[in-house]
Short mmCIF file of all heavy atoms in Angstrom, two decimals:
data_model
loop_
_atom_site.label_atom_id
_atom_site.label_comp_id
_atom_site.label_asym_id
_atom_site.label_seq_id
_atom_site.Cartn_x
_atom_site.Cartn_y
_atom_site.Cartn_z
N MET A 1223 16.33 -7.02 -23.60
CA MET A 1223 14.92 -7.20 -23.30
C MET A 1223 14.28 -5.84 -23.05
O MET A 1223 14.80 -5.02 -22.31
CB MET A 1223 14.78 -8.11 -22.08
CG MET A 1223 13.38 -8.36 -21.66
SD MET A 1223 13.32 -9.59 -20.34
CE MET A 1223 11.82 -10.36 -20.75
N THR A 1224 13.15 -5.62 -23.63
CA THR A 1224 12.42 -4.37 -23.49
C THR A 1224 11.54 -4.43 -22.24
O THR A 1224 10.85 -5.42 -22.02
CB THR A 1224 11.52 -4.14 -24.72
OG1 THR A 1224 12.31 -4.23 -25.89
CG2 THR A 1224 10.86 -2.79 -24.66
N PRO A 1225 11.56 -3.36 -21.42
CA PRO A 1225 10.70 -3.37 -20.23
C PRO A 1225 9.23 -3.41 -20.62
O PRO A 1225 8.83 -2.87 -21.65
CB PRO A 1225 11.04 -2.07 -19.50
CG PRO A 1225 11.82 -1.25 -20.46
CD PRO A 1225 12.33 -2.14 -21.53
N LEU A 1226 8.43 -4.06 -19.79
CA LEU A 1226 6.99 -4.17 -20.06
C LEU A 1226 6.27 -2.85 -19.83
O LEU A 1226 5.25 -2.59 -20.44
CB LEU A 1226 6.38 -5.26 -19.19
CG LEU A 1226 6.92 -6.68 -19.43
CD1 LEU A 1226 6.30 -7.65 -18.44
CD2 LEU A 1226 6.64 -7.11 -20.86
N TRP A 1227 6.78 -2.03 -18.94
CA TRP A 1227 6.16 -0.74 -18.66
C TRP A 1227 7.20 0.19 -18.07
O TRP A 1227 8.25 -0.24 -17.63
CB TRP A 1227 4.96 -0.88 -17.71
CG TRP A 1227 5.37 -1.27 -16.33
CD1 TRP A 1227 5.77 -0.44 -15.32
CD2 TRP A 1227 5.45 -2.59 -15.79
NE1 TRP A 1227 6.08 -1.15 -14.20
CE2 TRP A 1227 5.90 -2.49 -14.46
CE3 TRP A 1227 5.20 -3.84 -16.30
CZ2 TRP A 1227 6.09 -3.59 -13.65
CZ3 TRP A 1227 5.39 -4.93 -15.47
CH2 TRP A 1227 5.83 -4.80 -14.17
N THR A 1228 6.88 1.46 -18.05
CA THR A 1228 7.72 2.47 -17.40
C THR A 1228 6.83 3.26 -16.46
O THR A 1228 5.64 3.42 -16.71
CB THR A 1228 8.38 3.41 -18.42
OG1 THR A 1228 7.36 4.04 -19.17
CG2 THR A 1228 9.34 2.66 -19.33
N LEU A 1229 7.42 3.75 -15.41
CA LEU A 1229 6.67 4.58 -14.46
C LEU A 1229 6.37 5.92 -15.11
O LEU A 1229 7.21 6.48 -15.82
CB LEU A 1229 7.48 4.79 -13.18
CG LEU A 1229 7.72 3.53 -12.35
CD1 LEU A 1229 8.63 3.85 -11.17
CD2 LEU A 1229 6.41 2.97 -11.86
N PRO A 1230 5.17 6.47 -14.88
CA PRO A 1230 4.81 7.73 -15.51
C PRO A 1230 5.65 8.90 -15.02
O PRO A 1230 5.84 9.87 -15.72
CB PRO A 1230 3.34 7.92 -15.15
CG PRO A 1230 3.13 7.06 -13.95
CD PRO A 1230 4.12 5.93 -14.06
N GLU A 1231 6.16 8.84 -13.81
CA GLU A 1231 7.02 9.88 -13.27
C GLU A 1231 7.83 9.27 -12.13
O GLU A 1231 7.49 8.23 -11.59
CB GLU A 1231 6.20 11.07 -12.77
CG GLU A 1231 5.19 10.70 -11.68
CD GLU A 1231 4.29 11.86 -11.32
OE1 GLU A 1231 3.27 12.05 -11.98
OE2 GLU A 1231 4.63 12.56 -10.35
N ALA A 1232 8.91 9.91 -11.81
CA ALA A 1232 9.78 9.40 -10.75
C ALA A 1232 9.07 9.48 -9.41
O ALA A 1232 8.37 10.45 -9.11
CB ALA A 1232 11.08 10.20 -10.70
N MET A 1233 9.23 8.45 -8.60
CA MET A 1233 8.66 8.44 -7.26
C MET A 1233 9.73 8.89 -6.27
O MET A 1233 10.28 8.09 -5.52
CB MET A 1233 8.16 7.03 -6.91
CG MET A 1233 6.98 6.60 -7.70
SD MET A 1233 6.36 5.05 -7.03
CE MET A 1233 5.17 4.61 -8.25
N THR A 1234 10.03 10.19 -6.30
CA THR A 1234 11.10 10.70 -5.46
C THR A 1234 10.58 11.57 -4.32
O THR A 1234 11.33 11.94 -3.45
CB THR A 1234 12.08 11.53 -6.29
OG1 THR A 1234 11.37 12.59 -6.93
CG2 THR A 1234 12.77 10.68 -7.34
N GLY A 1235 9.30 11.91 -4.33
CA GLY A 1235 8.75 12.75 -3.27
C GLY A 1235 8.66 12.02 -1.96
O GLY A 1235 8.70 10.79 -1.89
N ARG A 1236 8.55 12.78 -0.89
CA ARG A 1236 8.45 12.17 0.43
C ARG A 1236 7.25 12.75 1.15
O ARG A 1236 6.92 13.91 1.00
CB ARG A 1236 9.71 12.44 1.24
CG ARG A 1236 10.94 11.79 0.61
CD ARG A 1236 12.11 11.86 1.53
NE ARG A 1236 11.79 11.22 2.80
CZ ARG A 1236 12.27 10.05 3.19
NH1 ARG A 1236 13.05 9.38 2.40
NH2 ARG A 1236 11.96 9.55 4.36
N ALA A 1237 6.62 11.92 1.99
CA ALA A 1237 5.51 12.38 2.82
C ALA A 1237 6.08 13.13 4.02
O ALA A 1237 7.23 12.93 4.41
CB ALA A 1237 4.68 11.20 3.30
N ARG A 1238 5.27 13.97 4.59
CA ARG A 1238 5.71 14.64 5.81
C ARG A 1238 5.78 13.61 6.93
O ARG A 1238 5.08 12.59 6.89
CB ARG A 1238 4.76 15.77 6.16
CG ARG A 1238 3.37 15.32 6.55
CD ARG A 1238 2.51 16.52 6.98
NE ARG A 1238 1.14 16.14 7.17
CZ ARG A 1238 0.66 15.50 8.22
NH1 ARG A 1238 1.45 15.14 9.19
NH2 ARG A 1238 -0.63 15.19 8.30
N PRO A 1239 6.64 13.84 7.92
CA PRO A 1239 6.71 12.88 9.03
C PRO A 1239 5.35 12.74 9.71
O PRO A 1239 4.66 13.73 9.92
CB PRO A 1239 7.73 13.50 9.98
CG PRO A 1239 8.51 14.45 9.15
CD PRO A 1239 7.57 14.92 8.06
N ALA A 1240 4.96 11.53 10.03
CA ALA A 1240 3.66 11.28 10.65
C ALA A 1240 3.85 10.69 12.03
O ALA A 1240 4.65 9.77 12.21
CB ALA A 1240 2.84 10.32 9.78
N LYS A 1241 3.15 11.24 13.01
CA LYS A 1241 3.19 10.71 14.37
C LYS A 1241 2.20 9.57 14.49
O LYS A 1241 1.20 9.52 13.79
CB LYS A 1241 2.83 11.81 15.37
CG LYS A 1241 3.84 12.93 15.43
CD LYS A 1241 3.45 13.93 16.48
CE LYS A 1241 4.48 15.04 16.55
NZ LYS A 1241 4.14 16.04 17.55
N ALA A 1242 2.48 8.66 15.40
CA ALA A 1242 1.58 7.54 15.65
C ALA A 1242 0.24 8.08 16.15
O ALA A 1242 0.19 8.95 17.01
CB ALA A 1242 2.18 6.60 16.68
N ALA A 1243 -0.83 7.58 15.55
CA ALA A 1243 -2.17 8.00 15.93
C ALA A 1243 -3.16 6.95 15.45
O ALA A 1243 -2.89 6.23 14.49
CB ALA A 1243 -2.51 9.35 15.32
N VAL A 1244 -4.30 6.88 16.12
CA VAL A 1244 -5.34 5.92 15.77
C VAL A 1244 -6.54 6.67 15.25
O VAL A 1244 -6.92 7.71 15.79
CB VAL A 1244 -5.73 5.07 17.00
CG1 VAL A 1244 -6.89 4.14 16.68
CG2 VAL A 1244 -4.54 4.28 17.51
N GLY A 1245 -7.15 6.16 14.19
CA GLY A 1245 -8.38 6.73 13.66
C GLY A 1245 -8.28 7.14 12.21
O GLY A 1245 -7.21 7.16 11.61
N ASP A 1246 -9.43 7.47 11.66
CA ASP A 1246 -9.51 7.84 10.25
C ASP A 1246 -8.81 9.15 9.95
O ASP A 1246 -8.10 9.27 8.95
CB ASP A 1246 -10.98 7.95 9.82
CG ASP A 1246 -11.72 6.63 9.88
OD1 ASP A 1246 -11.08 5.58 10.04
OD2 ASP A 1246 -12.96 6.65 9.77
N LYS A 1247 -9.01 10.15 10.80
CA LYS A 1247 -8.49 11.49 10.53
C LYS A 1247 -6.97 11.51 10.32
O LYS A 1247 -6.50 12.09 9.34
CB LYS A 1247 -8.92 12.45 11.65
CG LYS A 1247 -8.60 13.89 11.36
CD LYS A 1247 -9.15 14.80 12.43
CE LYS A 1247 -8.81 16.25 12.13
NZ LYS A 1247 -9.37 17.15 13.13
N PRO A 1248 -6.16 10.90 11.21
CA PRO A 1248 -4.72 10.93 10.96
C PRO A 1248 -4.29 10.16 9.72
O PRO A 1248 -3.34 10.54 9.04
CB PRO A 1248 -4.10 10.32 12.23
CG PRO A 1248 -5.20 9.77 13.03
CD PRO A 1248 -6.49 10.32 12.50
N VAL A 1249 -5.01 9.08 9.39
CA VAL A 1249 -4.69 8.32 8.18
C VAL A 1249 -4.99 9.15 6.95
O VAL A 1249 -4.17 9.23 6.02
CB VAL A 1249 -5.45 6.97 8.15
CG1 VAL A 1249 -5.32 6.31 6.79
CG2 VAL A 1249 -4.93 6.05 9.24
N PHE A 1250 -6.14 9.81 6.92
CA PHE A 1250 -6.49 10.65 5.77
C PHE A 1250 -5.51 11.82 5.63
O PHE A 1250 -5.14 12.20 4.52
CB PHE A 1250 -7.92 11.15 5.86
CG PHE A 1250 -8.95 10.05 5.80
CD1 PHE A 1250 -10.15 10.18 6.46
CD2 PHE A 1250 -8.73 8.89 5.08
CE1 PHE A 1250 -11.12 9.18 6.41
CE2 PHE A 1250 -9.68 7.88 5.01
CZ PHE A 1250 -10.88 8.02 5.68
N ALA A 1251 -5.07 12.39 6.76
CA ALA A 1251 -4.09 13.48 6.72
C ALA A 1251 -2.75 12.98 6.17
O ALA A 1251 -2.10 13.66 5.37
CB ALA A 1251 -3.90 14.08 8.11
N TYR A 1252 -2.33 11.80 6.59
CA TYR A 1252 -1.08 11.23 6.09
C TYR A 1252 -1.17 10.98 4.58
O TYR A 1252 -0.26 11.35 3.83
CB TYR A 1252 -0.75 9.93 6.82
CG TYR A 1252 0.43 9.22 6.21
CD1 TYR A 1252 1.72 9.67 6.46
CD2 TYR A 1252 0.26 8.14 5.37
CE1 TYR A 1252 2.81 9.04 5.88
CE2 TYR A 1252 1.35 7.51 4.79
CZ TYR A 1252 2.62 7.96 5.06
OH TYR A 1252 3.70 7.34 4.48
N ILE A 1253 -2.26 10.38 4.13
CA ILE A 1253 -2.43 10.10 2.71
C ILE A 1253 -2.43 11.41 1.92
O ILE A 1253 -1.81 11.50 0.85
CB ILE A 1253 -3.71 9.29 2.45
CG1 ILE A 1253 -3.54 7.86 3.01
CG2 ILE A 1253 -4.05 9.24 0.97
CD1 ILE A 1253 -4.79 7.01 2.97
N ALA A 1254 -3.08 12.45 2.43
CA ALA A 1254 -3.12 13.74 1.74
C ALA A 1254 -1.73 14.37 1.63
O ALA A 1254 -1.47 15.14 0.71
CB ALA A 1254 -4.07 14.68 2.47
N SER A 1255 -0.82 14.02 2.54
CA SER A 1255 0.52 14.59 2.52
C SER A 1255 1.45 13.91 1.51
O SER A 1255 2.53 14.41 1.23
CB SER A 1255 1.16 14.51 3.92
OG SER A 1255 1.59 13.19 4.20
N LEU A 1256 1.02 12.78 0.98
CA LEU A 1256 1.87 12.05 0.04
C LEU A 1256 1.93 12.76 -1.31
O LEU A 1256 0.93 13.30 -1.77
CB LEU A 1256 1.33 10.63 -0.17
CG LEU A 1256 1.38 9.68 1.01
CD1 LEU A 1256 0.60 8.41 0.70
CD2 LEU A 1256 2.81 9.35 1.37
N PRO A 1257 3.08 12.73 -1.97
CA PRO A 1257 3.15 13.26 -3.32
C PRO A 1257 2.55 12.27 -4.31
O PRO A 1257 2.44 11.08 -4.01
CB PRO A 1257 4.66 13.42 -3.56
CG PRO A 1257 5.28 12.37 -2.68
CD PRO A 1257 4.38 12.26 -1.47
N GLN A 1258 2.17 12.76 -5.47
CA GLN A 1258 1.69 11.85 -6.52
C GLN A 1258 2.89 11.16 -7.13
O GLN A 1258 3.95 11.74 -7.18
CB GLN A 1258 0.92 12.63 -7.59
CG GLN A 1258 -0.41 13.15 -7.14
CD GLN A 1258 -1.43 12.04 -6.84
OE1 GLN A 1258 -1.20 10.85 -7.00
NE2 GLN A 1258 -2.58 12.45 -6.35
N PRO A 1259 2.84 9.95 -7.56
CA PRO A 1259 1.67 9.09 -7.68
C PRO A 1259 1.37 8.28 -6.43
O PRO A 1259 0.39 7.55 -6.39
CB PRO A 1259 2.03 8.18 -8.85
CG PRO A 1259 3.49 8.03 -8.76
CD PRO A 1259 3.99 9.38 -8.27
N GLN A 1260 2.20 8.39 -5.37
CA GLN A 1260 1.97 7.61 -4.16
C GLN A 1260 0.60 7.89 -3.55
O GLN A 1260 -0.06 6.99 -3.04
CB GLN A 1260 3.05 7.86 -3.11
CG GLN A 1260 4.41 7.34 -3.50
CD GLN A 1260 5.31 8.41 -4.08
OE1 GLN A 1260 4.85 9.30 -4.79
NE2 GLN A 1260 6.59 8.31 -3.81
N ARG A 1261 0.16 9.17 -3.59
CA ARG A 1261 -1.14 9.52 -3.00
C ARG A 1261 -2.26 8.76 -3.69
O ARG A 1261 -3.15 8.22 -3.04
CB ARG A 1261 -1.39 11.01 -3.09
CG ARG A 1261 -2.70 11.41 -2.43
CD ARG A 1261 -3.02 12.90 -2.55
NE ARG A 1261 -1.85 13.71 -2.37
CZ ARG A 1261 -1.57 14.79 -3.11
NH1 ARG A 1261 -2.38 15.17 -4.07
NH2 ARG A 1261 -0.48 15.49 -2.88
N GLY A 1262 -2.25 8.72 -4.99
CA GLY A 1262 -3.29 8.01 -5.73
C GLY A 1262 -3.32 6.53 -5.40
O GLY A 1262 -4.39 5.93 -5.27
N ILE A 1263 -2.15 5.94 -5.27
CA ILE A 1263 -2.07 4.53 -4.91
C ILE A 1263 -2.62 4.31 -3.51
O ILE A 1263 -3.42 3.40 -3.28
CB ILE A 1263 -0.62 4.03 -5.03
CG1 ILE A 1263 -0.16 4.08 -6.48
CG2 ILE A 1263 -0.48 2.62 -4.45
CD1 ILE A 1263 1.34 3.94 -6.66
N ALA A 1264 -2.21 5.15 -2.56
CA ALA A 1264 -2.67 5.01 -1.17
C ALA A 1264 -4.18 5.22 -1.07
O ALA A 1264 -4.86 4.52 -0.31
CB ALA A 1264 -1.94 6.00 -0.27
N GLU A 1265 -4.73 6.16 -1.83
CA GLU A 1265 -6.18 6.39 -1.82
C GLU A 1265 -6.92 5.17 -2.36
O GLU A 1265 -7.96 4.78 -1.82
CB GLU A 1265 -6.52 7.63 -2.65
CG GLU A 1265 -6.11 8.92 -1.98
CD GLU A 1265 -6.20 10.13 -2.89
OE1 GLU A 1265 -6.30 9.97 -4.13
OE2 GLU A 1265 -6.18 11.25 -2.33
N ALA A 1266 -6.37 4.54 -3.40
CA ALA A 1266 -7.01 3.35 -3.96
C ALA A 1266 -6.97 2.18 -2.98
O ALA A 1266 -7.95 1.46 -2.82
CB ALA A 1266 -6.33 2.96 -5.28
N VAL A 1267 -5.84 2.00 -2.30
CA VAL A 1267 -5.71 0.92 -1.31
C VAL A 1267 -6.67 1.17 -0.15
O VAL A 1267 -7.36 0.25 0.31
CB VAL A 1267 -4.26 0.79 -0.81
CG1 VAL A 1267 -4.17 -0.11 0.40
CG2 VAL A 1267 -3.36 0.30 -1.93
N ASP A 1268 -6.75 2.41 0.31
CA ASP A 1268 -7.65 2.75 1.41
C ASP A 1268 -9.10 2.50 1.02
O ASP A 1268 -9.87 1.92 1.80
CB ASP A 1268 -7.46 4.20 1.83
CG ASP A 1268 -8.28 4.54 3.05
OD1 ASP A 1268 -7.83 4.26 4.18
OD2 ASP A 1268 -9.41 5.07 2.89
N ALA A 1269 -9.48 2.90 -0.17
CA ALA A 1269 -10.87 2.69 -0.63
C ALA A 1269 -11.19 1.21 -0.73
O ALA A 1269 -12.29 0.78 -0.35
CB ALA A 1269 -11.09 3.38 -1.98
N LEU A 1270 -10.26 0.43 -1.23
CA LEU A 1270 -10.48 -1.02 -1.34
C LEU A 1270 -10.63 -1.65 0.04
O LEU A 1270 -11.52 -2.46 0.26
CB LEU A 1270 -9.31 -1.67 -2.09
CG LEU A 1270 -9.40 -3.18 -2.27
CD1 LEU A 1270 -10.61 -3.56 -3.10
CD2 LEU A 1270 -8.13 -3.69 -2.92
N ALA A 1271 -9.76 -1.26 0.98
CA ALA A 1271 -9.85 -1.80 2.34
C ALA A 1271 -11.18 -1.44 2.98
O ALA A 1271 -11.84 -2.28 3.60
CB ALA A 1271 -8.68 -1.29 3.19
N ALA A 1272 -11.61 -0.19 2.82
CA ALA A 1272 -12.87 0.26 3.41
C ALA A 1272 -14.06 -0.48 2.80
O ALA A 1272 -15.03 -0.78 3.50
CB ALA A 1272 -13.04 1.76 3.21
N LYS A 1273 -13.97 -0.79 1.51
CA LYS A 1273 -15.08 -1.48 0.84
C LYS A 1273 -15.16 -2.95 1.25
O LYS A 1273 -16.25 -3.50 1.39
CB LYS A 1273 -14.88 -1.37 -0.67
CG LYS A 1273 -15.96 -2.01 -1.49
CD LYS A 1273 -15.71 -1.81 -2.97
CE LYS A 1273 -16.78 -2.48 -3.81
NZ LYS A 1273 -16.54 -2.30 -5.25
N ARG A 1274 -14.02 -3.59 1.45
CA ARG A 1274 -13.99 -5.04 1.66
C ARG A 1274 -13.91 -5.49 3.12
O ARG A 1274 -14.20 -6.65 3.41
CB ARG A 1274 -12.78 -5.63 0.93
CG ARG A 1274 -12.85 -5.47 -0.56
CD ARG A 1274 -13.95 -6.33 -1.11
NE ARG A 1274 -14.02 -6.20 -2.56
CZ ARG A 1274 -15.00 -6.65 -3.28
NH1 ARG A 1274 -16.00 -7.27 -2.72
NH2 ARG A 1274 -15.00 -6.49 -4.58
N LEU A 1275 -13.49 -4.61 4.03
CA LEU A 1275 -13.29 -5.03 5.41
C LEU A 1275 -14.31 -4.36 6.34
O LEU A 1275 -14.24 -3.15 6.58
CB LEU A 1275 -11.88 -4.68 5.88
CG LEU A 1275 -10.75 -5.34 5.10
CD1 LEU A 1275 -9.41 -4.75 5.50
CD2 LEU A 1275 -10.77 -6.84 5.31
N PRO A 1276 -15.25 -5.14 6.86
CA PRO A 1276 -16.20 -4.55 7.81
C PRO A 1276 -15.46 -4.17 9.10
O PRO A 1276 -14.50 -4.82 9.49
CB PRO A 1276 -17.22 -5.66 8.05
CG PRO A 1276 -16.54 -6.92 7.66
CD PRO A 1276 -15.49 -6.56 6.64
N ASN A 1277 -15.91 -3.11 9.73
CA ASN A 1277 -15.32 -2.64 10.99
C ASN A 1277 -13.83 -2.32 10.85
O ASN A 1277 -13.04 -2.60 11.75
CB ASN A 1277 -15.54 -3.66 12.11
CG ASN A 1277 -17.01 -3.98 12.30
OD1 ASN A 1277 -17.84 -3.07 12.31
ND2 ASN A 1277 -17.34 -5.25 12.42
N LEU A 1278 -13.44 -1.72 9.74
CA LEU A 1278 -12.06 -1.36 9.49
C LEU A 1278 -11.56 -0.37 10.53
O LEU A 1278 -12.25 0.59 10.86
CB LEU A 1278 -11.93 -0.74 8.09
CG LEU A 1278 -10.54 -0.26 7.69
CD1 LEU A 1278 -9.60 -1.45 7.56
CD2 LEU A 1278 -10.63 0.51 6.39
N GLN A 1279 -10.39 -0.62 11.06
CA GLN A 1279 -9.73 0.28 12.00
C GLN A 1279 -8.45 0.78 11.36
O GLN A 1279 -7.59 -0.01 10.98
CB GLN A 1279 -9.43 -0.44 13.31
CG GLN A 1279 -10.68 -0.95 13.99
CD GLN A 1279 -10.35 -1.91 15.13
OE1 GLN A 1279 -9.25 -2.44 15.22
NE2 GLN A 1279 -11.32 -2.13 15.99
N ARG A 1280 -8.33 2.10 11.24
CA ARG A 1280 -7.15 2.71 10.62
C ARG A 1280 -6.25 3.30 11.70
O ARG A 1280 -6.71 3.76 12.73
CB ARG A 1280 -7.57 3.84 9.68
CG ARG A 1280 -8.35 3.41 8.47
CD ARG A 1280 -8.78 4.64 7.67
NE ARG A 1280 -9.44 4.31 6.43
CZ ARG A 1280 -10.77 4.24 6.31
NH1 ARG A 1280 -11.56 4.47 7.34
NH2 ARG A 1280 -11.29 3.93 5.14
N SER A 1281 -4.94 3.32 11.41
CA SER A 1281 -3.98 3.99 12.29
C SER A 1281 -2.72 4.33 11.50
O SER A 1281 -2.50 3.84 10.40
CB SER A 1281 -3.63 3.11 13.50
OG SER A 1281 -2.99 1.93 13.07
N VAL A 1282 -1.93 5.20 12.10
CA VAL A 1282 -0.61 5.54 11.56
C VAL A 1282 0.40 5.08 12.60
O VAL A 1282 0.30 5.42 13.79
CB VAL A 1282 -0.47 7.06 11.33
CG1 VAL A 1282 0.94 7.40 10.86
CG2 VAL A 1282 -1.49 7.55 10.32
N LYS A 1283 1.35 4.25 12.16
CA LYS A 1283 2.41 3.76 13.04
C LYS A 1283 3.71 3.73 12.25
O LYS A 1283 3.70 3.35 11.08
CB LYS A 1283 2.11 2.34 13.53
CG LYS A 1283 0.88 2.22 14.38
CD LYS A 1283 0.67 0.79 14.81
CE LYS A 1283 -0.63 0.64 15.58
NZ LYS A 1283 -0.86 -0.73 15.99
N TRP A 1284 4.79 4.11 12.88
CA TRP A 1284 6.12 4.06 12.25
C TRP A 1284 6.13 4.78 10.91
O TRP A 1284 6.77 4.33 9.96
CB TRP A 1284 6.62 2.63 12.14
CG TRP A 1284 6.73 1.95 13.44
CD1 TRP A 1284 7.65 2.20 14.42
CD2 TRP A 1284 5.88 0.93 13.95
NE1 TRP A 1284 7.41 1.40 15.50
CE2 TRP A 1284 6.33 0.60 15.23
CE3 TRP A 1284 4.78 0.26 13.44
CZ2 TRP A 1284 5.74 -0.36 16.02
CZ3 TRP A 1284 4.18 -0.70 14.23
CH2 TRP A 1284 4.66 -1.00 15.50
N GLY A 1285 5.38 5.86 10.82
CA GLY A 1285 5.39 6.69 9.62
C GLY A 1285 4.64 6.15 8.43
O GLY A 1285 4.87 6.60 7.31
N THR A 1286 3.74 5.19 8.62
CA THR A 1286 2.93 4.68 7.52
C THR A 1286 1.56 4.26 8.03
O THR A 1286 1.33 4.22 9.24
CB THR A 1286 3.65 3.52 6.80
OG1 THR A 1286 2.98 3.24 5.57
CG2 THR A 1286 3.73 2.28 7.65
N THR A 1287 0.66 3.94 7.13
CA THR A 1287 -0.70 3.57 7.53
C THR A 1287 -0.77 2.07 7.85
O THR A 1287 -0.07 1.26 7.24
CB THR A 1287 -1.70 3.87 6.42
OG1 THR A 1287 -1.29 3.24 5.22
CG2 THR A 1287 -1.82 5.37 6.18
N TYR A 1288 -1.62 1.75 8.79
CA TYR A 1288 -1.90 0.37 9.16
C TYR A 1288 -3.40 0.17 9.20
O TYR A 1288 -4.14 1.08 9.60
CB TYR A 1288 -1.30 0.02 10.53
CG TYR A 1288 0.16 -0.27 10.46
CD1 TYR A 1288 1.09 0.75 10.39
CD2 TYR A 1288 0.62 -1.58 10.41
CE1 TYR A 1288 2.43 0.48 10.29
CE2 TYR A 1288 1.97 -1.85 10.32
CZ TYR A 1288 2.87 -0.82 10.26
OH TYR A 1288 4.20 -1.08 10.15
N TYR A 1289 -3.84 -1.00 8.80
CA TYR A 1289 -5.26 -1.32 8.78
C TYR A 1289 -5.48 -2.61 9.58
O TYR A 1289 -4.66 -3.52 9.51
CB TYR A 1289 -5.75 -1.53 7.34
CG TYR A 1289 -5.61 -0.28 6.50
CD1 TYR A 1289 -4.46 -0.02 5.78
CD2 TYR A 1289 -6.64 0.65 6.46
CE1 TYR A 1289 -4.33 1.12 5.01
CE2 TYR A 1289 -6.53 1.79 5.70
CZ TYR A 1289 -5.37 2.02 4.99
OH TYR A 1289 -5.26 3.16 4.24
N GLY A 1290 -6.58 -2.66 10.31
CA GLY A 1290 -6.89 -3.86 11.06
C GLY A 1290 -8.39 -4.01 11.24
O GLY A 1290 -9.16 -3.10 11.02
N VAL A 1291 -8.79 -5.21 11.63
CA VAL A 1291 -10.17 -5.51 11.97
C VAL A 1291 -10.16 -6.42 13.19
O VAL A 1291 -9.25 -7.22 13.36
CB VAL A 1291 -10.95 -6.18 10.82
CG1 VAL A 1291 -11.14 -5.24 9.66
CG2 VAL A 1291 -10.28 -7.43 10.34
N GLY A 1292 -11.15 -6.29 14.04
CA GLY A 1292 -11.29 -7.17 15.18
C GLY A 1292 -10.09 -7.19 16.12
O GLY A 1292 -9.71 -8.22 16.61
N GLY A 1293 -9.49 -6.03 16.35
CA GLY A 1293 -8.38 -5.93 17.30
C GLY A 1293 -7.04 -6.41 16.73
O GLY A 1293 -6.08 -6.57 17.46
N GLY A 1294 -6.96 -6.65 15.43
CA GLY A 1294 -5.69 -7.13 14.87
C GLY A 1294 -5.30 -6.45 13.61
O GLY A 1294 -5.90 -5.55 13.15
#
């Protein structure tokens, strides 16, 4: 069976370690530290969340981004 698609490049890069923090600035810094293509994917997810979720709250926990609204 032939694969339907192939990845454009290996996803072997790693982001720098991220400390837990709340707010836009640490999330944007974490996303900026990601290697491509992960950075592009994370930027697209962040833009979609910001467009669709009113009162979006961003944070970094356990080395990745978290999004919430209304305290959750």
Side-chain angles (χ1 to χ4, degrees):
M1223 179 174 214
T1224 307
L1226 298 176
W1227 68 86
T1228 58
L1229 294 175
E1231 59 187 86
M1233 291 188 189
T1234 58
R1236 296 190 57 108
R1238 66 176 172 77
K1241 294 183 179 179
V1244 176
D1246 295 348
K1247 188 175 179 179
V1249 169
F1250 295 149
Y1252 173 77
I1253 291 172
S1255 76
L1256 293 170
Q1258 289 294 357
Q1260 292 98 324
R1261 183 183 320 138
I1263 295 166
E1265 288 169 344
V1267 169
D1268 186 83
L1270 180 62
K1273 181 178 179 180
R1274 296 291 181 192
L1275 299 171
N1277 303 316
L1278 178 66
Q1279 299 168 343
R1280 295 176 175 95
S1281 63
V1282 176
K1283 296 180 185 179
W1284 300 289
T1286 193
T1287 55
Y1288 280 80
Y1289 297 90
V1291 293

